[in-house]
Amino acid sequence: GAGVSQSPRYKVAKRGQDVALRCDPISGHVSLFWYQQALGQGPEFLTYFQNEAQLDKSGLPSDRFFAERPEGSVSTLKIQRTQQEDSAVYLCASSSYRGPNTGELFFGEGSRLTVL
Amino acid sequence: AQKVTQAQTEISVVEKEDVTLDCVYETRDTTYYLFWYKQPPSGELVFLIRRNSFDEQNEISGRYSWNFQKSTSSFNFTITASQVVDSAVYFCALSDNTDKLIFGTGTRLQVFP
């Protein structure tokens, strides 16, 4: 597609449910990033993929968070046993460059997760 | 530790006014990159500019201009003759040679007709 596509745009989950958020990056983009944006805050880094390799997962807040990009294109962020503090917008970004410094990141519109 | 501070939470101006969004950063690295992103109501962040720490030249792009001053660790963003379409949340961000961007908390700009 023309841009980064994320689905679902909105997700409401009951506490304890598992959720999966999908990101379709721009075709051919090597780098893929996940960020978490709480209400009124700036995005915070979660994890980074270069092709299918997860090179940095230092921002994942707990072992309930898991991300994958098995074929180097589509990525899924999974949150197990959701908690209320997981409520946030989850942003995906991709880039044709390796890392965020050499070129611009293209962001999707995000998936807004609300945990009741 | 790296940190980005955007002290202005919200700014309101009337169309055609000039407005400056402040950004102060902290880092111990000598090589780093600074960014500005715009987040309209639709939610996606839109890249505006990237600057590396060795290039202190100010930049102008149409109505937008950026002032990078290493002496004060600031990277301020000015919109000249603001328009309603400029209404958005603006984020300043910092990156060293790692994978991640460190974002400030953002400044919400409202431009009224």
Side-chain angles (χ1 to χ4, degrees):
Chain A
V4 177
S5 177
Q6 293 187 245
S7 61
R9 289 292 317 278
Y10 303 92
K11 176 70 178 177
V12 178
K14 290 184 180 176
R15 199 174 76 168
Q17 277 186 332
D18 297 348
V19 300
L21 308 177
R22 176 187 169 105
C23 173
D24 271 283
I26 293 173
S27 178
H29 275 195
V30 169
S31 294
L32 185 145
F33 303 82
W34 284 98
Y35 282 80
Q36 180 190 56
Q37 186 176 20
L39 188 64
Q41 300 297 313
E44 292 193 359
F45 172 82
L46 292 177
T47 188
Y48 163 56
F49 290 87
Q50 191 176 108
N51 296 307
E52 69 278 4
Q54 189 175 22
L55 299 187
D56 188 343
K57 53 181 182 179
S58 63
L60 296 177
S62 77
D63 59 8
R64 296 186 296 103
F65 286 71
F66 171 77
E68 61 182 3
R69 193 186 186 198
E71 296 177 359
S73 55
V74 171
S75 176
T76 303
L77 176 67
K78 298 179 180 177
I79 309 172
Q80 297 177 322
R81 304 182 303 282
T82 52
Q83 304 292 315
Q84 283 190 321
E85 61 262 28
D86 301 335
S87 296
V89 175
Y90 291 86
L91 295 165
C92 177
S94 71
S95 170
S96 58
Y97 296 91
R98 287 169 167 74
N101 294 327
T102 48
E104 67 178 279
L105 297 187
F106 293 85
F107 281 82
E109 293 180 329
S111 292
R112 181 179 297 276
L113 173 64
T114 303
V115 181
L116 303 177
Chain B
Q2 296 184 318
K3 186 179 177 182
V4 174
T5 301
Q6 294 181 257
Q8 303 150 309
T9 306
E10 188 163 337
I11 301 175
S12 295
V13 298
V14 177
E15 240 183 344
K16 298 184 184 174
E17 281 186 35
D18 298 347
V19 57
T20 295
L21 309 181
D22 297 333
C23 173
V24 174
Y25 63 92
E26 293 176 35
T27 180
R28 279 184 272 188
D29 296 302
T30 54
T31 302
Y32 53 88
Y33 299 82
L34 295 165
F35 303 78
W36 276 94
Y37 278 84
K38 174 182 180 180
Q39 188 174 41
S42 53
E44 81 282 13
L45 283 97
V46 178
F47 170 87
L48 295 178
I49 190 172
R50 175 178 65 98
R51 258 288 174 264
N52 73 56
S53 52
F54 300 107
D55 183 1
E56 281 193 79
Q57 271 194 325
N58 292 332
E59 177 147 345
I60 298 174
S61 175
R63 295 184 298 107
Y64 296 170
S65 62
W66 292 269
N67 184 331
F68 176 27
Q69 291 196 338
K70 286 176 77 169
S71 60
T72 55
S73 297
S74 64
F75 187 43
N76 296 338
F77 172 31
T78 297
I79 302 176
T80 303
S82 58
Q83 299 177 0
V84 172
V85 293
D86 295 328
S87 297
V89 181
Y90 290 85
F91 290 97
C92 181
L94 166 70
S95 178
D96 56 15
N97 286 315
T98 64
D99 313 317
K100 60 196 69 145
L101 292 177
I102 308 297
F103 285 87
T105 50
T107 297
R108 179 178 299 277
L109 174 65
Q110 293 196 72
V111 182
F112 293 99

